[in-house]
Amino acid sequence: MTDPTAPDPERGGDRPEPDADGVTAPDGRTAPDAPLSAHLRAARAEFESQVARTRADFEEANERIKQRTGRDLIVAILIGLAIGAVLVLSLAIYKPVFLLFAFAAAVFGVFELARALQAGGRRIDLAPQLIGAAGMIVSAWTLALWQHWVVVCAAVLLVVLWRLVARLFEHDRRAGRAIWDDILTGTLVQLYVAFAASLCVILLRQDGGQWWVLAFIIVAVAADTGAYATGLTFGRHPMAPRISPNKTWEGFAGAVAAALVAGVLLAIFMLGLVWWTGLIIGATILATATIGDLGESMIKRDLGIKDMSSWLPGHGGVLDRLDSILPSAGAALALYYFLTPLVAS
């Protein structure tokens, strides 16, 4: 008679048969932790499935946004966060470091705009443009205000004289009006980019100026982000279709809300001002940022280009990121002189 407890040679002798989960006890019975292992594997599979679905949904949404705006959302966010981190650290730790940031932004911004205008048929001389931009940024940090104004005038004069002298060697046969258009355009490059950036450096020099620089940049970025998010989600009515078809009144409403909220919070917690001054800061920076954004869009539309360059993937060029910040620098400097006395009182 066969012993039921004897090992079966056909089934591998003394080795017990694994259970459905591949876990067995030495005596052949299912191990106590088998249900737990099965549960963990099921949870892991569910988690991986959920991650895959989330990633697929995000990529699909990113592709829709890319088709609508021409921007890669993931790359834009990563680059934006990196630039923001450098900006905040330079202002919060040692504000002279921000001077390097402003210097690079001004020089690259002038270079981009000059090259774009050259491609559009304008005769812009790069050398005096870059020299003038560098001189303005350095003088804004190192010289007195009246001396800085002298440097600004000298930079503009250098651009004008360089173009007039260059014309003699180019045998330019265009009408005189075209020559003056080139001169005025070259002057615009200096004032729009280099001079505006120098005002930001002057604000940085002031007592506590680094917080004002950070505050007005945050308000400008908040307005831009609010406009982008609400415009992308609810935008139906174009704001300025001939200048920038993608801008909508719904997006502008989002920009207003974001700028005012950011202004109030920054006035209270960063600048030490009363809450209502934040409304003034938010409204003022919103106005200048919107004008700057539409102004650059008008220039690009006139030149027939989408971006000033492709140096910043997902954003375009340096000037595409500075379009709302540059015009806001002068307004922020004026607000500093106007509102700072309220702190003492």
Side-chain angles (χ1 to χ4, degrees):
M1 185 173 181
T2 306
D3 186 357
T5 62
D8 186 354
E10 296 182 356
R11 300 184 59 184
D14 295 333
R15 290 176 299 178
E17 182 178 2
D19 67 312
D21 295 321
V23 181
T24 56
D27 58 357
R29 293 176 298 174
T30 302
D33 60 344
L36 177 60
S37 299
H39 179 72
L40 291 177
R41 283 195 297 272
R44 178 180 177 181
E46 176 63 23
F47 176 75
E48 291 176 347
S49 175
Q50 187 66 34
V51 169
R53 286 196 300 267
T54 302
R55 181 177 179 181
D57 292 341
F58 183 80
E59 290 178 350
E60 181 181 354
N62 182 48
E63 188 61 30
R64 289 198 302 267
I65 294 174
K66 188 175 181 180
Q67 291 176 356
R68 181 172 177 178
T69 65
R71 308 289 187 192
D72 190 318
L73 182 60
I74 299 177
V75 175
I77 291 175
L78 293 177
I79 292 181
L81 290 176
I83 294 175
V86 172
L87 178 68
V88 172
L89 289 176
S90 66
L91 289 170
I93 297 177
Y94 187 57
K95 67 181 183 180
V97 177
F98 180 79
L99 182 63
L100 300 176
F101 189 89
F103 186 91
V107 171
F108 281 110
V110 165
F111 180 81
E112 282 183 347
L113 183 55
R115 291 299 297 270
L117 290 169
Q118 286 176 341
R122 296 297 184 189
R123 299 197 176 185
I124 306 296
D125 306 294
L126 277 176
Q129 292 288 348
L130 297 178
I131 293 172
M136 284 193 202
I137 299 300
V138 173
S139 67
W141 180 255
T142 59
L143 302 180
L145 287 180
W146 70 269
Q147 293 172 323
H148 174 64
W149 280 107
V150 172
V151 173
V152 172
C153 294
V156 172
L157 185 61
L158 175 63
V159 169
V160 173
L161 293 179
W162 194 296
R163 179 87 299 266
L164 291 175
V165 173
R167 183 197 176 198
L168 299 176
F169 296 95
E170 291 173 349
H171 303 290
D172 192 350
R173 296 183 178 180
R174 294 179 302 162
R177 182 176 179 179
I179 303 300
W180 286 109
D181 286 345
D182 292 341
I183 291 175
L184 291 176
T185 303
T187 302
L188 173 65
V189 174
Q190 284 294 292
L191 297 180
Y192 173 52
V193 182
F195 176 65
S198 73
L199 293 180
C200 183
V201 176
I202 291 175
L203 177 59
L204 181 68
R205 290 178 58 180
Q206 310 306 313
D207 184 23
Q210 69 272 28
W211 306 120
W212 277 84
V213 171
L214 184 58
F216 94 79
I217 292 178
I218 289 176
V219 172
V221 172
D224 189 40
T225 304
Y228 183 84
T230 55
L232 191 66
T233 306
F234 306 107
R236 296 294 183 272
H237 303 87
M239 181 179 178
R242 294 186 177 181
I243 299 175
S244 183
N246 291 329
K247 291 179 174 56
T248 62
W249 284 109
E250 291 82 0
F252 181 71
V256 171
L260 293 180
V261 170
V264 171
L265 294 177
L266 292 167
I268 296 174
F269 298 107
M270 182 180 291
L271 304 179
L273 299 171
V274 293
W275 69 269
W276 57 265
T277 61
L279 297 177
I280 298 176
I281 295 172
T284 303
I285 300 303
L286 171 66
T288 54
T290 302
I291 293 173
D293 194 4
L294 292 175
E296 199 223 11
S297 296
M298 187 181 301
I299 293 174
K300 292 190 293 186
R301 191 172 184 84
D302 184 62
L303 295 175
I305 58 176
K306 184 179 185 299
D307 296 318
M308 285 294 176
S309 74
S310 57
W311 289 352
L312 298 176
H315 293 270
V318 173
L319 197 58
D320 294 310
R321 292 299 87 207
L322 298 178
D323 56 357
S324 59
I325 293 176
L326 287 174
S328 301
L333 182 60
L335 288 171
Y336 171 84
Y337 287 125
F338 178 69
L339 296 177
T340 298
L342 296 178
V343 178
S345 61

